[in-house]
Amino acid sequence: MLVSYSSSSEDESDCFTVQRKRSCNVTCHDEEDLRFGKRTKLEAVNSHGSNVQNKEVLPEEERGRLPVPDTVLHMFREEQRVDDSAQHGGRVRSFKHERGNWATYVFLPYTPDEAFLELLDEVTALARSLDVPLNHAEEFHISLSQTVVLRHHWIQPFVQSLRNSLADTKRFLCLAQRLNIYSNSEKTRTFVGLEISTGHAQLTELTKVIDKTIEEFRLTTFYQNPSFHVSLGWCVGDRTDQLQSACLPQLQSLLDHHEDGPFQLRIDCDELRCKTGNKVFSFPLPK
């Protein structure tokens, strides 16, 4: 059986011709596309009135990139906080503010009644007449710890430890009727307070329980031989001597000869609170 084969040279020639046509077609289309693309880009540039010769050509990956807003650039920048004592009645911060540090203390709250607020107005008015600019306290409580610093991730363990420690502490009653003068550790403020008489022993035992939690976090425990009190008012600076010698007798006389009889402050100690930063945790005491 005979089979007819075409010449190999003719096949190669035909194949070369076809490839050349294809290559020419592809090259022509590519060049045409490039020319069209360049023409389109130039027209786009010229339509905005830009100088084509001076136009900077950006890399492809940067052409669609948008600028980062300033608000995002400054979002995580550390703020420099400057404390201005003039904005806080002359009060000075006990320790420097740092991000992530939470000022924390434990206390027994007291909600004032009308009789207490009237007496407070009389006390501050008398103190000012004696040349002592006494300011009202912003809130009323019995402090059961010093102000300590907690890191944010310590807050929940600290609160839980307190809750466990206070589980068996029973509620009790406190009474106060004698004034006393106090100052903070830095001697930047002086206070007039009502000193607790009845309930002092229970408060002492309570601070021992709280100190155990504070020691777990290696923080400063409460004062030795504390004088538990409710602050009525404060003034800037160390005015301890002036208040004790010139003001305290007259202020105490005001309480002793009150129109309804000697004033006595009564506090039902049925709830403890822990304030850390702007958070307040409550610990109800069982009966």
Side-chain angles (χ1 to χ4, degrees), residues 88-215:
H88 308 284
R91 288 175 291 181
V92 179
R93 187 182 291 275
S94 299
F95 47 85
K96 183 180 179 182
H97 170 81
E98 294 183 13
R99 185 182 295 274
N101 285 351
W102 294 61
T104 304
Y105 63 98
V106 183
F107 61 97
L108 282 165
Y110 168 66
T111 302
D113 56 18
E114 185 176 353
F116 177 86
L117 295 176
E118 290 178 355
L119 177 67
L120 182 61
D121 288 336
E122 295 176 10
V123 168
T124 53
L126 178 57
R128 291 179 180 181
S129 71
L130 299 172
D131 197 27
V132 177
L134 199 65
N135 302 283
H136 282 195
E138 296 177 357
E139 59 179 22
F140 305 98
H141 62 266
I142 303 173
S143 294
L144 298 176
S145 76
Q146 295 197 57
T147 300
V148 296
V149 177
L150 287 182
R151 301 295 294 173
H152 185 268
H153 59 278
W154 292 355
I155 294 176
Q156 287 300 330
F158 184 88
V159 170
Q160 187 59 49
S161 177
L162 270 181
R163 199 175 300 280
N164 295 338
S165 300
L166 296 170
D168 298 327
T169 302
K170 305 297 183 182
R171 59 184 61 182
F172 55 97
L173 174 68
C174 283
L175 298 176
Q177 56 191 11
R178 302 296 299 177
L179 290 173
N180 207 343
I181 308 302
Y182 305 90
S183 65
N184 60 1
S185 301
E186 297 80 16
K187 303 296 182 181
T188 57
R189 283 202 290 167
T190 307
F191 302 84
V192 175
L194 274 167
E195 186 175 10
I196 301 298
S197 52
T198 302
H200 186 278
Q202 291 93 325
L203 292 174
T204 300
E205 292 301 315
L206 198 53
T207 57
K208 292 179 181 179
V209 173
I210 296 169
D211 278 347
K212 290 182 180 179
T213 293
I214 290 177
E215 287 175 344

